[in-house]
Amino acid sequence: MSDLQKLQERVLRFRDERDWKQFHNPKDLAISLLAEAAELLDEFKWKDEKQIAQHLRENKESVSDEVMDVLYNTLLIAADLDIDISKEFERKMQSNEAKYPIEKSSGNNKKYTEI
Ligand SMILES: [Mg+2]
């Protein structure tokens, strides 16, 4: 069992122990994922680069909490939609590699449609 599968089993056990699956559907899990991503964004809102660096030094755990909340929701959605995370992540990375070939993308921040 991969580390990702272990994490996924952990979040599914957490949910099942609380009988929360009845409240979860793809739409609401996507809303929850976005809400947690917004909480992550809020950690950095209105801060310049220097303030962000300081915030990260002083609040690493709260930032980490939001990243983990995003992962938690991602793992739940993937499980409910029967998405094989390891397989689909590799497929998506291969797609990204095709969109962003190293020779055109190295050191270049343009979107793949513009390179
Ligand atoms: Mg959160």
Side-chain angles (χ1 to χ4, degrees):
M1 181 182 285
S2 72
D3 287 345
L4 273 173
Q5 286 172 315
K6 287 179 191 166
L7 294 176
Q8 197 166 41
E9 288 209 351
R10 179 77 173 91
V11 298
L12 289 170
R13 187 171 67 246
F14 176 86
R15 179 174 73 177
D16 290 345
E17 287 169 348
R18 287 154 185 80
D19 193 23
W20 285 351
K21 188 169 190 327
Q22 61 183 310
F23 307 117
H24 291 176
N25 60 62
K27 173 186 65 77
D28 289 323
L29 284 174
I31 289 170
S32 183
L33 173 60
L34 194 60
E36 296 301 344
E39 289 179 14
L40 175 60
L41 193 56
D42 204 41
E43 294 278 341
F44 307 120
K45 187 172 67 180
W46 308 124
K47 294 177 177 71
D48 62 24
E49 209 169 313
K50 191 175 171 187
Q51 290 169 320
I52 288 171
Q54 182 180 354
H55 183 74
L56 286 170
R57 281 192 302 275
E58 296 172 354
N59 301 278
K60 180 102 184 243
E61 189 170 302
S62 67
V63 172
S64 178
D65 281 351
E66 302 313 338
V67 173
M68 293 308 105
D69 286 342
V70 169
L71 178 61
Y72 170 87
N73 282 280
T74 301
L75 291 170
L76 280 180
I77 291 174
D80 287 359
L81 299 183
D82 198 24
I83 293 170
D84 181 326
I85 292 176
S86 296
K87 184 177 146 210
E88 293 304 314
F89 186 81
E90 181 54 33
R91 183 191 58 75
K92 181 62 172 125
M93 286 307 298
Q94 287 179 16
S95 169
N96 291 346
E97 288 169 349
K99 282 183 194 170
Y100 295 98
I102 293 170
E103 59 275 13
K104 289 184 178 176
S105 303
S106 181
N108 181 346
N109 64 359
K110 288 185 179 169
K111 189 175 178 177
Y112 69 94
T113 53
E114 298 170 3
I115 59 176

PDB file of all heavy atoms in Angstrom, residues 4 7 11 32-44 52 55-56 59-76:
ATOM      1  N   LEU A   4       0.169   7.347  -0.115  1.00  0.00           N
ATOM      2  CA  LEU A   4      -1.072   8.055  -0.444  1.00  0.00           C
ATOM      3  C   LEU A   4      -2.299   7.222  -0.075  1.00  0.00           C
ATOM      4  O   LEU A   4      -3.283   7.741   0.459  1.00  0.00           O
ATOM      5  CB  LEU A   4      -1.118   8.385  -1.940  1.00  0.00           C
ATOM      6  CG  LEU A   4      -0.467   9.685  -2.357  1.00  0.00           C
ATOM      7  CD1 LEU A   4      -0.444   9.787  -3.869  1.00  0.00           C
ATOM      8  CD2 LEU A   4      -1.186  10.875  -1.745  1.00  0.00           C
ATOM      9  N   LEU A   7      -2.811   7.432   3.597  1.00  0.00           N
ATOM     10  CA  LEU A   7      -3.437   8.704   3.981  1.00  0.00           C
ATOM     11  C   LEU A   7      -4.926   8.677   3.655  1.00  0.00           C
ATOM     12  O   LEU A   7      -5.772   9.143   4.432  1.00  0.00           O
ATOM     13  CB  LEU A   7      -2.764   9.870   3.254  1.00  0.00           C
ATOM     14  CG  LEU A   7      -1.305  10.166   3.609  1.00  0.00           C
ATOM     15  CD1 LEU A   7      -0.768  11.293   2.731  1.00  0.00           C
ATOM     16  CD2 LEU A   7      -1.165  10.518   5.080  1.00  0.00           C
ATOM     17  N   VAL A  11      -8.203   9.197   6.190  1.00  0.00           N
ATOM     18  CA  VAL A  11      -9.296  10.177   6.141  1.00  0.00           C
ATOM     19  C   VAL A  11     -10.658   9.474   6.005  1.00  0.00           C
ATOM     20  O   VAL A  11     -11.650   9.932   6.562  1.00  0.00           O
ATOM     21  CB  VAL A  11      -9.118  11.243   5.022  1.00  0.00           C
ATOM     22  CG1 VAL A  11      -7.867  12.066   5.258  1.00  0.00           C
ATOM     23  CG2 VAL A  11      -9.115  10.656   3.645  1.00  0.00           C
ATOM     24  N   SER A  32     -16.006  22.410  -0.168  1.00  0.00           N
ATOM     25  CA  SER A  32     -15.141  22.335   1.012  1.00  0.00           C
ATOM     26  C   SER A  32     -13.672  22.474   0.614  1.00  0.00           C
ATOM     27  O   SER A  32     -12.896  23.168   1.285  1.00  0.00           O
ATOM     28  CB  SER A  32     -15.389  21.003   1.730  1.00  0.00           C
ATOM     29  OG  SER A  32     -14.622  20.931   2.902  1.00  0.00           O
ATOM     30  N   LEU A  33     -13.295  21.828  -0.485  1.00  0.00           N
ATOM     31  CA  LEU A  33     -11.918  21.935  -0.983  1.00  0.00           C
ATOM     32  C   LEU A  33     -11.582  23.386  -1.308  1.00  0.00           C
ATOM     33  O   LEU A  33     -10.523  23.898  -0.910  1.00  0.00           O
ATOM     34  CB  LEU A  33     -11.750  21.052  -2.229  1.00  0.00           C
ATOM     35  CG  LEU A  33     -10.435  21.159  -2.990  1.00  0.00           C
ATOM     36  CD1 LEU A  33      -9.250  20.785  -2.118  1.00  0.00           C
ATOM     37  CD2 LEU A  33     -10.488  20.261  -4.226  1.00  0.00           C
ATOM     38  N   LEU A  34     -12.485  24.047  -1.990  1.00  0.00           N
ATOM     39  CA  LEU A  34     -12.258  25.451  -2.359  1.00  0.00           C
ATOM     40  C   LEU A  34     -12.219  26.347  -1.123  1.00  0.00           C
ATOM     41  O   LEU A  34     -11.400  27.271  -1.041  1.00  0.00           O
ATOM     42  CB  LEU A  34     -13.341  25.913  -3.329  1.00  0.00           C
ATOM     43  CG  LEU A  34     -13.063  27.218  -4.057  1.00  0.00           C
ATOM     44  CD1 LEU A  34     -11.806  27.124  -4.898  1.00  0.00           C
ATOM     45  CD2 LEU A  34     -14.249  27.600  -4.917  1.00  0.00           C
ATOM     46  N   ALA A  35     -13.090  26.068  -0.151  1.00  0.00           N
ATOM     47  CA  ALA A  35     -13.100  26.860   1.086  1.00  0.00           C
ATOM     48  C   ALA A  35     -11.774  26.710   1.824  1.00  0.00           C
ATOM     49  O   ALA A  35     -11.227  27.688   2.354  1.00  0.00           O
ATOM     50  CB  ALA A  35     -14.269  26.420   1.978  1.00  0.00           C
ATOM     51  N   GLU A  36     -11.254  25.502   1.849  1.00  0.00           N
ATOM     52  CA  GLU A  36      -9.959  25.295   2.522  1.00  0.00           C
ATOM     53  C   GLU A  36      -8.826  25.955   1.738  1.00  0.00           C
ATOM     54  O   GLU A  36      -7.899  26.501   2.335  1.00  0.00           O
ATOM     55  CB  GLU A  36      -9.688  23.802   2.724  1.00  0.00           C
ATOM     56  CG  GLU A  36     -10.681  23.109   3.651  1.00  0.00           C
ATOM     57  CD  GLU A  36     -10.726  23.696   5.063  1.00  0.00           C
ATOM     58  OE1 GLU A  36      -9.808  24.433   5.451  1.00  0.00           O
ATOM     59  OE2 GLU A  36     -11.705  23.410   5.775  1.00  0.00           O
ATOM     60  N   ALA A  37      -8.903  25.915   0.404  1.00  0.00           N
ATOM     61  CA  ALA A  37      -7.897  26.604  -0.417  1.00  0.00           C
ATOM     62  C   ALA A  37      -7.968  28.105  -0.154  1.00  0.00           C
ATOM     63  O   ALA A  37      -6.940  28.794  -0.104  1.00  0.00           O
ATOM     64  CB  ALA A  37      -8.103  26.286  -1.892  1.00  0.00           C
ATOM     65  N   ALA A  38      -9.187  28.623   0.051  1.00  0.00           N
ATOM     66  CA  ALA A  38      -9.349  30.047   0.363  1.00  0.00           C
ATOM     67  C   ALA A  38      -8.753  30.368   1.736  1.00  0.00           C
ATOM     68  O   ALA A  38      -8.161  31.432   1.926  1.00  0.00           O
ATOM     69  CB  ALA A  38     -10.824  30.425   0.320  1.00  0.00           C
ATOM     70  N   GLU A  39      -8.900  29.448   2.687  1.00  0.00           N
ATOM     71  CA  GLU A  39      -8.282  29.652   4.003  1.00  0.00           C
ATOM     72  C   GLU A  39      -6.759  29.691   3.874  1.00  0.00           C
ATOM     73  O   GLU A  39      -6.081  30.479   4.544  1.00  0.00           O
ATOM     74  CB  GLU A  39      -8.716  28.562   4.982  1.00  0.00           C
ATOM     75  CG  GLU A  39     -10.166  28.703   5.405  1.00  0.00           C
ATOM     76  CD  GLU A  39     -10.629  27.604   6.360  1.00  0.00           C
ATOM     77  OE1 GLU A  39      -9.781  26.880   6.918  1.00  0.00           O
ATOM     78  OE2 GLU A  39     -11.852  27.461   6.526  1.00  0.00           O
ATOM     79  N   LEU A  40      -6.219  28.870   2.994  1.00  0.00           N
ATOM     80  CA  LEU A  40      -4.772  28.899   2.729  1.00  0.00           C
ATOM     81  C   LEU A  40      -4.377  30.243   2.117  1.00  0.00           C
ATOM     82  O   LEU A  40      -3.402  30.873   2.533  1.00  0.00           O
ATOM     83  CB  LEU A  40      -4.389  27.742   1.798  1.00  0.00           C
ATOM     84  CG  LEU A  40      -2.941  27.691   1.336  1.00  0.00           C
ATOM     85  CD1 LEU A  40      -1.975  27.558   2.519  1.00  0.00           C
ATOM     86  CD2 LEU A  40      -2.754  26.534   0.349  1.00  0.00           C
ATOM     87  N   LEU A  41      -5.162  30.676   1.160  1.00  0.00           N
ATOM     88  CA  LEU A  41      -4.896  31.969   0.514  1.00  0.00           C
ATOM     89  C   LEU A  41      -4.962  33.109   1.524  1.00  0.00           C
ATOM     90  O   LEU A  41      -4.170  34.057   1.474  1.00  0.00           O
ATOM     91  CB  LEU A  41      -5.921  32.172  -0.611  1.00  0.00           C
ATOM     92  CG  LEU A  41      -5.675  33.275  -1.618  1.00  0.00           C
ATOM     93  CD1 LEU A  41      -4.326  33.126  -2.294  1.00  0.00           C
ATOM     94  CD2 LEU A  41      -6.796  33.266  -2.658  1.00  0.00           C
ATOM     95  N   ASP A  42      -5.897  32.994   2.456  1.00  0.00           N
ATOM     96  CA  ASP A  42      -6.061  34.027   3.475  1.00  0.00           C
ATOM     97  C   ASP A  42      -4.808  34.186   4.345  1.00  0.00           C
ATOM     98  O   ASP A  42      -4.552  35.266   4.882  1.00  0.00           O
ATOM     99  CB  ASP A  42      -7.275  33.692   4.343  1.00  0.00           C
ATOM    100  CG  ASP A  42      -7.858  34.915   5.013  1.00  0.00           C
ATOM    101  OD1 ASP A  42      -7.932  35.974   4.347  1.00  0.00           O
ATOM    102  OD2 ASP A  42      -8.220  34.816   6.194  1.00  0.00           O
ATOM    103  N   GLU A  43      -4.046  33.116   4.481  1.00  0.00           N
ATOM    104  CA  GLU A  43      -2.790  33.200   5.247  1.00  0.00           C
ATOM    105  C   GLU A  43      -1.838  34.226   4.630  1.00  0.00           C
ATOM    106  O   GLU A  43      -0.988  34.781   5.332  1.00  0.00           O
ATOM    107  CB  GLU A  43      -2.098  31.830   5.300  1.00  0.00           C
ATOM    108  CG  GLU A  43      -2.853  30.772   6.083  1.00  0.00           C
ATOM    109  CD  GLU A  43      -2.621  30.884   7.594  1.00  0.00           C
ATOM    110  OE1 GLU A  43      -1.645  31.520   8.023  1.00  0.00           O
ATOM    111  OE2 GLU A  43      -3.455  30.327   8.338  1.00  0.00           O
ATOM    112  N   PHE A  44      -1.955  34.435   3.325  1.00  0.00           N
ATOM    113  CA  PHE A  44      -1.000  35.292   2.618  1.00  0.00           C
ATOM    114  C   PHE A  44      -1.593  36.621   2.153  1.00  0.00           C
ATOM    115  O   PHE A  44      -0.868  37.495   1.682  1.00  0.00           O
ATOM    116  CB  PHE A  44      -0.442  34.542   1.394  1.00  0.00           C
ATOM    117  CG  PHE A  44       0.114  33.185   1.744  1.00  0.00           C
ATOM    118  CD1 PHE A  44      -0.407  32.033   1.172  1.00  0.00           C
ATOM    119  CD2 PHE A  44       1.145  33.057   2.658  1.00  0.00           C
ATOM    120  CE1 PHE A  44       0.098  30.780   1.494  1.00  0.00           C
ATOM    121  CE2 PHE A  44       1.661  31.818   2.993  1.00  0.00           C
ATOM    122  CZ  PHE A  44       1.133  30.672   2.407  1.00  0.00           C
ATOM    123  N   ILE A  52       5.212  37.714   3.995  1.00  0.00           N
ATOM    124  CA  ILE A  52       4.883  36.293   3.813  1.00  0.00           C
ATOM    125  C   ILE A  52       5.974  35.415   4.406  1.00  0.00           C
ATOM    126  O   ILE A  52       5.685  34.436   5.119  1.00  0.00           O
ATOM    127  CB  ILE A  52       4.656  35.964   2.321  1.00  0.00           C
ATOM    128  CG1 ILE A  52       3.327  36.567   1.855  1.00  0.00           C
ATOM    129  CG2 ILE A  52       4.659  34.448   2.085  1.00  0.00           C
ATOM    130  CD1 ILE A  52       3.102  36.482   0.360  1.00  0.00           C
ATOM    131  N   HIS A  55       5.600  35.564   8.070  1.00  0.00           N
ATOM    132  CA  HIS A  55       4.393  34.825   8.474  1.00  0.00           C
ATOM    133  C   HIS A  55       4.663  33.316   8.464  1.00  0.00           C
ATOM    134  O   HIS A  55       4.251  32.602   9.376  1.00  0.00           O
ATOM    135  CB  HIS A  55       3.234  35.170   7.527  1.00  0.00           C
ATOM    136  CG  HIS A  55       1.948  34.517   7.899  1.00  0.00           C
ATOM    137  ND1 HIS A  55       1.188  34.923   8.971  1.00  0.00           N
ATOM    138  CD2 HIS A  55       1.302  33.447   7.356  1.00  0.00           C
ATOM    139  CE1 HIS A  55       0.119  34.158   9.067  1.00  0.00           C
ATOM    140  NE2 HIS A  55       0.159  33.253   8.098  1.00  0.00           N
ATOM    141  N   LEU A  56       5.366  32.865   7.440  1.00  0.00           N
ATOM    142  CA  LEU A  56       5.665  31.436   7.352  1.00  0.00           C
ATOM    143  C   LEU A  56       6.590  30.994   8.489  1.00  0.00           C
ATOM    144  O   LEU A  56       6.434  29.887   9.021  1.00  0.00           O
ATOM    145  CB  LEU A  56       6.288  31.102   5.995  1.00  0.00           C
ATOM    146  CG  LEU A  56       5.298  31.107   4.823  1.00  0.00           C
ATOM    147  CD1 LEU A  56       6.036  31.015   3.505  1.00  0.00           C
ATOM    148  CD2 LEU A  56       4.293  29.969   4.961  1.00  0.00           C
ATOM    149  N   ASN A  59       4.189  31.164  11.625  1.00  0.00           N
ATOM    150  CA  ASN A  59       2.873  30.492  11.604  1.00  0.00           C
ATOM    151  C   ASN A  59       2.877  29.240  10.744  1.00  0.00           C
ATOM    152  O   ASN A  59       1.880  28.916  10.100  1.00  0.00           O
ATOM    153  CB  ASN A  59       1.800  31.459  11.083  1.00  0.00           C
ATOM    154  CG  ASN A  59       1.698  32.689  11.934  1.00  0.00           C
ATOM    155  OD1 ASN A  59       1.054  32.687  12.972  1.00  0.00           O
ATOM    156  ND2 ASN A  59       2.362  33.756  11.505  1.00  0.00           N
ATOM    157  N   LYS A  60       3.983  28.550  10.740  1.00  0.00           N
ATOM    158  CA  LYS A  60       4.106  27.378   9.866  1.00  0.00           C
ATOM    159  C   LYS A  60       2.992  26.356  10.135  1.00  0.00           C
ATOM    160  O   LYS A  60       2.444  25.760   9.210  1.00  0.00           O
ATOM    161  CB  LYS A  60       5.478  26.736  10.086  1.00  0.00           C
ATOM    162  CG  LYS A  60       5.732  25.512   9.248  1.00  0.00           C
ATOM    163  CD  LYS A  60       6.607  25.806   8.082  1.00  0.00           C
ATOM    164  CE  LYS A  60       6.776  24.614   7.196  1.00  0.00           C
ATOM    165  NZ  LYS A  60       8.127  24.158   7.119  1.00  0.00           N
ATOM    166  N   GLU A  61       2.630  26.179  11.407  1.00  0.00           N
ATOM    167  CA  GLU A  61       1.636  25.163  11.723  1.00  0.00           C
ATOM    168  C   GLU A  61       0.256  25.538  11.189  1.00  0.00           C
ATOM    169  O   GLU A  61      -0.455  24.677  10.651  1.00  0.00           O
ATOM    170  CB  GLU A  61       1.569  24.924  13.232  1.00  0.00           C
ATOM    171  CG  GLU A  61       0.688  23.721  13.569  1.00  0.00           C
ATOM    172  CD  GLU A  61       0.798  23.319  15.030  1.00  0.00           C
ATOM    173  OE1 GLU A  61       1.919  23.017  15.464  1.00  0.00           O
ATOM    174  OE2 GLU A  61      -0.232  23.321  15.716  1.00  0.00           O
ATOM    175  N   SER A  62      -0.137  26.788  11.292  1.00  0.00           N
ATOM    176  CA  SER A  62      -1.466  27.159  10.793  1.00  0.00           C
ATOM    177  C   SER A  62      -1.508  27.093   9.265  1.00  0.00           C
ATOM    178  O   SER A  62      -2.530  26.702   8.680  1.00  0.00           O
ATOM    179  CB  SER A  62      -1.895  28.533  11.298  1.00  0.00           C
ATOM    180  OG  SER A  62      -1.105  29.551  10.754  1.00  0.00           O
ATOM    181  N   VAL A  63      -0.404  27.447   8.606  1.00  0.00           N
ATOM    182  CA  VAL A  63      -0.347  27.314   7.142  1.00  0.00           C
ATOM    183  C   VAL A  63      -0.401  25.834   6.768  1.00  0.00           C
ATOM    184  O   VAL A  63      -1.146  25.431   5.868  1.00  0.00           O
ATOM    185  CB  VAL A  63       0.928  27.986   6.579  1.00  0.00           C
ATOM    186  CG1 VAL A  63       1.081  27.689   5.089  1.00  0.00           C
ATOM    187  CG2 VAL A  63       0.894  29.492   6.829  1.00  0.00           C
ATOM    188  N   SER A  64       0.355  25.028   7.497  1.00  0.00           N
ATOM    189  CA  SER A  64       0.352  23.587   7.255  1.00  0.00           C
ATOM    190  C   SER A  64      -1.049  23.007   7.459  1.00  0.00           C
ATOM    191  O   SER A  64      -1.494  22.141   6.691  1.00  0.00           O
ATOM    192  CB  SER A  64       1.351  22.906   8.195  1.00  0.00           C
ATOM    193  OG  SER A  64       1.322  21.522   8.016  1.00  0.00           O
ATOM    194  N   ASP A  65      -1.754  23.482   8.470  1.00  0.00           N
ATOM    195  CA  ASP A  65      -3.123  23.017   8.708  1.00  0.00           C
ATOM    196  C   ASP A  65      -3.993  23.221   7.466  1.00  0.00           C
ATOM    197  O   ASP A  65      -4.770  22.337   7.087  1.00  0.00           O
ATOM    198  CB  ASP A  65      -3.769  23.784   9.874  1.00  0.00           C
ATOM    199  CG  ASP A  65      -3.321  23.267  11.239  1.00  0.00           C
ATOM    200  OD1 ASP A  65      -2.650  22.225  11.302  1.00  0.00           O
ATOM    201  OD2 ASP A  65      -3.652  23.947  12.224  1.00  0.00           O
ATOM    202  N   GLU A  66      -3.865  24.387   6.831  1.00  0.00           N
ATOM    203  CA  GLU A  66      -4.700  24.668   5.656  1.00  0.00           C
ATOM    204  C   GLU A  66      -4.292  23.812   4.459  1.00  0.00           C
ATOM    205  O   GLU A  66      -5.148  23.321   3.714  1.00  0.00           O
ATOM    206  CB  GLU A  66      -4.657  26.154   5.301  1.00  0.00           C
ATOM    207  CG  GLU A  66      -5.113  27.089   6.416  1.00  0.00           C
ATOM    208  CD  GLU A  66      -6.409  26.697   7.090  1.00  0.00           C
ATOM    209  OE1 GLU A  66      -7.229  25.960   6.509  1.00  0.00           O
ATOM    210  OE2 GLU A  66      -6.611  27.138   8.244  1.00  0.00           O
ATOM    211  N   VAL A  67      -2.995  23.607   4.291  1.00  0.00           N
ATOM    212  CA  VAL A  67      -2.540  22.715   3.206  1.00  0.00           C
ATOM    213  C   VAL A  67      -3.092  21.304   3.446  1.00  0.00           C
ATOM    214  O   VAL A  67      -3.573  20.640   2.515  1.00  0.00           O
ATOM    215  CB  VAL A  67      -1.000  22.702   3.109  1.00  0.00           C
ATOM    216  CG1 VAL A  67      -0.532  21.664   2.100  1.00  0.00           C
ATOM    217  CG2 VAL A  67      -0.472  24.088   2.740  1.00  0.00           C
ATOM    218  N   MET A  68      -3.073  20.863   4.698  1.00  0.00           N
ATOM    219  CA  MET A  68      -3.576  19.521   5.007  1.00  0.00           C
ATOM    220  C   MET A  68      -5.097  19.442   4.844  1.00  0.00           C
ATOM    221  O   MET A  68      -5.624  18.394   4.454  1.00  0.00           O
ATOM    222  CB  MET A  68      -3.163  19.108   6.428  1.00  0.00           C
ATOM    223  CG  MET A  68      -1.668  18.898   6.598  1.00  0.00           C
ATOM    224  SD  MET A  68      -0.930  17.776   5.373  1.00  0.00           S
ATOM    225  CE  MET A  68      -0.086  18.937   4.323  1.00  0.00           C
ATOM    226  N   ASP A  69      -5.795  20.533   5.135  1.00  0.00           N
ATOM    227  CA  ASP A  69      -7.244  20.539   4.898  1.00  0.00           C
ATOM    228  C   ASP A  69      -7.550  20.394   3.407  1.00  0.00           C
ATOM    229  O   ASP A  69      -8.518  19.722   3.022  1.00  0.00           O
ATOM    230  CB  ASP A  69      -7.873  21.836   5.432  1.00  0.00           C
ATOM    231  CG  ASP A  69      -7.973  21.857   6.950  1.00  0.00           C
ATOM    232  OD1 ASP A  69      -7.883  20.787   7.591  1.00  0.00           O
ATOM    233  OD2 ASP A  69      -8.157  22.963   7.502  1.00  0.00           O
ATOM    234  N   VAL A  70      -6.733  21.014   2.572  1.00  0.00           N
ATOM    235  CA  VAL A  70      -6.893  20.860   1.123  1.00  0.00           C
ATOM    236  C   VAL A  70      -6.634  19.403   0.728  1.00  0.00           C
ATOM    237  O   VAL A  70      -7.410  18.797  -0.030  1.00  0.00           O
ATOM    238  CB  VAL A  70      -5.946  21.816   0.353  1.00  0.00           C
ATOM    239  CG1 VAL A  70      -5.913  21.480  -1.134  1.00  0.00           C
ATOM    240  CG2 VAL A  70      -6.376  23.274   0.568  1.00  0.00           C
ATOM    241  N   LEU A  71      -5.570  18.838   1.278  1.00  0.00           N
ATOM    242  CA  LEU A  71      -5.253  17.437   0.963  1.00  0.00           C
ATOM    243  C   LEU A  71      -6.357  16.507   1.449  1.00  0.00           C
ATOM    244  O   LEU A  71      -6.764  15.584   0.733  1.00  0.00           O
ATOM    245  CB  LEU A  71      -3.902  17.061   1.594  1.00  0.00           C
ATOM    246  CG  LEU A  71      -3.461  15.611   1.400  1.00  0.00           C
ATOM    247  CD1 LEU A  71      -3.298  15.281  -0.091  1.00  0.00           C
ATOM    248  CD2 LEU A  71      -2.152  15.347   2.148  1.00  0.00           C
ATOM    249  N   TYR A  72      -6.849  16.753   2.654  1.00  0.00           N
ATOM    250  CA  TYR A  72      -7.930  15.940   3.233  1.00  0.00           C
ATOM    251  C   TYR A  72      -9.127  15.885   2.278  1.00  0.00           C
ATOM    252  O   TYR A  72      -9.653  14.811   1.955  1.00  0.00           O
ATOM    253  CB  TYR A  72      -8.333  16.550   4.574  1.00  0.00           C
ATOM    254  CG  TYR A  72      -9.586  16.000   5.198  1.00  0.00           C
ATOM    255  CD1 TYR A  72      -9.561  14.880   6.018  1.00  0.00           C
ATOM    256  CD2 TYR A  72     -10.826  16.623   4.969  1.00  0.00           C
ATOM    257  CE1 TYR A  72     -10.722  14.382   6.596  1.00  0.00           C
ATOM    258  CE2 TYR A  72     -11.990  16.124   5.542  1.00  0.00           C
ATOM    259  CZ  TYR A  72     -11.931  15.015   6.349  1.00  0.00           C
ATOM    260  OH  TYR A  72     -13.086  14.516   6.909  1.00  0.00           O
ATOM    261  N   ASN A  73      -9.549  17.045   1.807  1.00  0.00           N
ATOM    262  CA  ASN A  73     -10.689  17.093   0.888  1.00  0.00           C
ATOM    263  C   ASN A  73     -10.370  16.471  -0.462  1.00  0.00           C
ATOM    264  O   ASN A  73     -11.220  15.813  -1.061  1.00  0.00           O
ATOM    265  CB  ASN A  73     -11.165  18.542   0.718  1.00  0.00           C
ATOM    266  CG  ASN A  73     -11.996  18.998   1.893  1.00  0.00           C
ATOM    267  OD1 ASN A  73     -13.175  18.692   1.993  1.00  0.00           O
ATOM    268  ND2 ASN A  73     -11.375  19.691   2.825  1.00  0.00           N
ATOM    269  N   THR A  74      -9.149  16.657  -0.923  1.00  0.00           N
ATOM    270  CA  THR A  74      -8.730  16.051  -2.192  1.00  0.00           C
ATOM    271  C   THR A  74      -8.776  14.520  -2.089  1.00  0.00           C
ATOM    272  O   THR A  74      -9.276  13.836  -2.999  1.00  0.00           O
ATOM    273  CB  THR A  74      -7.309  16.518  -2.569  1.00  0.00           C
ATOM    274  OG1 THR A  74      -7.309  17.943  -2.688  1.00  0.00           O
ATOM    275  CG2 THR A  74      -6.854  15.896  -3.879  1.00  0.00           C
ATOM    276  N   LEU A  75      -8.283  13.994  -0.977  1.00  0.00           N
ATOM    277  CA  LEU A  75      -8.284  12.533  -0.788  1.00  0.00           C
ATOM    278  C   LEU A  75      -9.711  11.994  -0.716  1.00  0.00           C
ATOM    279  O   LEU A  75     -10.009  10.926  -1.265  1.00  0.00           O
ATOM    280  CB  LEU A  75      -7.503  12.173   0.477  1.00  0.00           C
ATOM    281  CG  LEU A  75      -5.993  12.416   0.410  1.00  0.00           C
ATOM    282  CD1 LEU A  75      -5.366  12.268   1.794  1.00  0.00           C
ATOM    283  CD2 LEU A  75      -5.324  11.481  -0.590  1.00  0.00           C
ATOM    284  N   LEU A  76     -10.605  12.731  -0.067  1.00  0.00           N
ATOM    285  CA  LEU A  76     -12.002  12.277   0.018  1.00  0.00           C
ATOM    286  C   LEU A  76     -12.682  12.285  -1.349  1.00  0.00           C
ATOM    287  O   LEU A  76     -13.361  11.324  -1.722  1.00  0.00           O
ATOM    288  CB  LEU A  76     -12.797  13.175   0.984  1.00  0.00           C
ATOM    289  CG  LEU A  76     -12.647  12.902   2.474  1.00  0.00           C
ATOM    290  CD1 LEU A  76     -13.498  13.889   3.269  1.00  0.00           C
ATOM    291  CD2 LEU A  76     -13.027  11.473   2.827  1.00  0.00           C
TER     292      LEU A  76
END
